[in-house]
Amino acid sequence: METTRRDLLKGMSGMALGVVVTSGLGALVGCAPKEAQAAQATATPQPQPQFPWPYQKVDAVAAAERAYAAYYQGGCMYGAFEGILGELREKVGGPYLTFPSAMMKYGAGGIAGWGTLCGALNGAAALLYLVLDGKVANPIISELFAWYGSEELPNYKPKTPKFDTIATSAANSQLCHVSVSTWSAKSGFKTGSPERAERCAWLTASVAKYVVELLNQQADSAFKAAHNVPEDVKTCLSCHGKGGQVENVHATAQSSCTVCHTDIKPNHPSK
Amino acid sequence: METTRRDLLKGMSGMALGVVVTSGLGALVGCAPKEAQAAQATATPQPQPQFPWPYQKVDAVAAAERAYAAYYQGGCMYGAFEGILGELREKVGGPYLTFPSAMMKYGAGGIAGWGTLCGALNGAAALLYLVLDGKVANPIISELFAWYGSEELPNYKPKTPKFDTIATSAANSQLCHVSVSTWSAKSGFKTGSPERAERCAWLTASVAKYVVELLNQQADSAFKAAHNVPEDVKTCLSCHGKGGQVENVHATAQSSCTVCHTDIKPNHPSK
């Protein structure tokens, strides 16, 4: 995207930073000292843009397409984050013009290849907390995570894909390793294959699209969770979660406990 | 932190943004049109600060103390990230003055309470990609993750703690749920207890301290990994990882496979 002076001015108008920079740098561009001093006198140092940053409804398919392209530039976390932020950069400008999206490349392969959290989810959650208050963002993150854990994904096919068809799977987890291995078992493709990379690219696009849909619902005050924590997980957490008899799990939600705890005996919790 | 005009000027000098803002806003503070035009003529729109952002060595204990305090303001991810970024904000200024650290609160409790990736690690990894090129950051992230998975933590006691002693444990994982439940089993404290919160606060401080130590080593060209992927994990990945006979795991490192795969039979891989 080419940035024009107009974009920058439009952008800066939404930033508290504007006043400060104006006062601080006035002298450097040749203002008369008196004028610079007058500007300084009215300036209040507030370097941070207002937080959370302003959200305006963007196109979900455009975000998905941008996410798909960004995946191949910097992985799943960067893809999901930049897919949405790129749309906001163009539409809103302002603080989005300076956000260093490239930092989000760290989440690829579940953080630098460690297979932990799916980067598309990590990037989406980061974006949600950038544009929404945490109390508003949390139910949307939970909807996203529950959707990711239970739906057959990817559910978005990019307009110019590298492969015409990609198998779908329900991850039953938010973890990169579990999500990818589950898909690999179902599709028959190796985890190091280009088909797996394409699956993750489609998945990144699917996540970006769904997050924008949820954000747009929220912007219309119409967000409502459509995916819930499964009943068997609720049963586990009723004992193991906060306030339970065996309070040894620090989590309020999961898609599945038995996806890792494969050794739970049928007569559990009897010893 | 109170931000002075001097901080801002110091900070802006390191930003490509400086030239643009100068040119764009000159007229707004009352410069003579001719002078503003002259400034504009030399300006090239480059709204992004140079990336990655400049790192200067900071004090590891100061970062740990800041992380501990930040944990109680916004959780583990925010704590680790803000612990280090806050030091850079004071020492380097520049782009750090405007970074919306509060967005990092999303990682608390393994992302909004889902128990996935430890937020302290998530925040630390984000920070590392903000100040280092990815190729330089990845080995440091791997060192951090391997250290986290194998060391008895927390290993930093804040100067004014809420509890005088906190039990330590080796997490054997980078996941919030596993890390916390392992500590809970060893310490005997419930996962919803104030002692558990304090353990995570000390852990957040420990992570911030170790990351600064690693960053300072890197700044001196003296970084060397001290923690490696365990041999048994390497054995697993030799078959299940990239290029292996059964290539169904999309990860290059883990602290343990059997922490989740508890049903591996002694005669594995025989069927």
Side-chain angles (χ1 to χ4, degrees), chain A residues 71-72 148 151-155 163 165-173 175-203 259, chain B residues 247-250:
Chain A
Y71 171 89
Y72 281 106
Y148 180 99
E151 290 286 328
E152 287 284 328
L153 297 175
N155 66 359
F163 293 89
T165 56
I166 287 290
T168 64
S169 57
N172 226 5
S173 169
L175 302 182
C176 167
H177 157 44
V178 181
S179 176
V180 170
S181 290
T182 301
W183 179 85
S184 178
K186 186 165 173 191
S187 71
F189 285 107
K190 291 183 174 181
T191 46
S193 66
E195 288 85 355
R196 194 279 310 153
E198 180 75 347
R199 173 263 183 188
C200 288
W202 289 30
L203 185 57
V259 71
Chain B
E247 190 181 306
N248 64 351
V249 173
H250 182 49

Side-chain angles (χ1 to χ4, degrees), chain B residues 134-158:
Chain B
K135 284 181 186 164
V136 179
N138 280 349
I140 298 180
I141 291 177
S142 283
E143 166 60 20
L144 172 68
F145 277 35
W147 166 85
Y148 181 98
S150 60
E151 290 286 328
E152 286 284 328
L153 298 175
N155 67 358
Y156 180 78
K157 181 180 178 179

Side-chain angles (χ1 to χ4, degrees), chain A:
Chain A
M1 185 194 73
E2 196 182 334
T3 305
T4 62
R5 276 188 57 242
R6 193 171 174 177
D7 288 334
L8 282 164
L9 285 168
K10 183 177 81 173
M12 293 302 291
S13 69
M15 297 173 73
L17 177 62
V19 178
V20 182
V21 172
T22 302
S23 74
L25 295 183
L28 302 183
V29 288
C31 289
K34 198 175 161 186
E35 289 163 327
Q37 281 165 16
Q40 284 165 24
T42 59
T44 307
Q46 291 175 3
Q48 294 278 359
Q50 282 183 351
F51 187 84
W53 289 3
Y55 181 76
Q56 284 180 29
K57 286 165 75 174
V58 294
D59 185 73
V61 169
E65 288 294 322
R66 193 189 284 265
Y68 176 70
Y71 171 89
Y72 281 106
Q73 292 167 354
C76 45
M77 184 178 190
Y78 174 70
F81 187 88
E82 171 63 15
I84 306 170
L85 190 126
E87 293 298 309
L88 292 168
R89 193 188 296 125
E90 283 199 358
K91 186 160 189 178
V92 182
Y96 298 104
L97 292 171
T98 59
F99 193 94
S101 282
M103 71 181 286
M104 298 301 175
K105 294 179 182 177
Y106 79 91
I111 316 292
W114 276 71
T116 67
L117 175 62
C118 166
L121 293 180
N122 205 6
L127 189 288
L128 284 165
Y129 256 67
L130 184 61
V131 302
L132 295 174
D133 179 79
K135 284 181 186 163
V136 179
N138 280 349
I140 298 180
I141 291 176
S142 284
E143 166 61 19
L144 171 68
F145 277 36
W147 167 84
Y148 180 99
S150 60
E151 290 286 328
E152 287 284 328
L153 297 175
N155 66 359
Y156 180 78
K157 181 180 178 179
K159 289 175 182 169
T160 53
K162 294 186 193 303
F163 293 89
D164 193 50
T165 56
I166 287 290
T168 64
S169 57
N172 226 5
S173 169
Q174 288 68 43
L175 302 182
C176 167
H177 157 44
V178 181
S179 176
V180 170
S181 290
T182 301
W183 179 85
S184 178
K186 186 165 173 191
S187 71
F189 285 107
K190 291 183 174 181
T191 46
S193 66
E195 288 85 355
R196 194 279 310 153
E198 180 75 347
R199 173 263 183 188
C200 288
W202 289 30
L203 185 57
T204 298
S206 304
V207 166
K209 179 170 176 283
Y210 194 53
V211 169
V212 168
E213 288 167 0
L214 296 176
L215 274 168
N216 289 350
Q217 288 170 20
Q218 176 61 34
D220 289 338
S221 303
F223 166 71
K224 206 174 168 184
H227 297 77
N228 293 310
V229 174
E231 287 304 317
D232 61 333
V233 172
K234 285 184 187 168
T235 302
C236 295
L237 289 175
S238 68
C239 278
H240 293 281
K242 178 83 172 168
Q245 209 174 353
V246 188
E247 190 182 305
N248 65 350
V249 173
H250 183 48
T252 53
Q254 288 279 324
S255 283
S256 165
C257 296
T258 53
V259 71
C260 290
H261 294 282
T262 52
D263 56 353
I264 305 290
K265 295 190 174 64
N267 64 340
H268 177 86
S270 300
K271 287 179 183 176

Side-chain angles (χ1 to χ4, degrees), chain B residues 7-8 11 19-20 25 40 46 50 63 75 89 92 95 151 153 158-159 168-169 187 204 225 235 241 249 258:
Chain B
D7 288 335
L8 282 164
V19 177
V20 183
L25 296 183
Q40 284 166 22
Q46 292 174 5
Q50 283 183 352
R89 192 188 296 125
V92 182
E151 290 286 328
L153 298 175
K159 289 174 182 170
T168 63
S169 57
S187 70
T204 298
T235 303
V249 173
T258 53

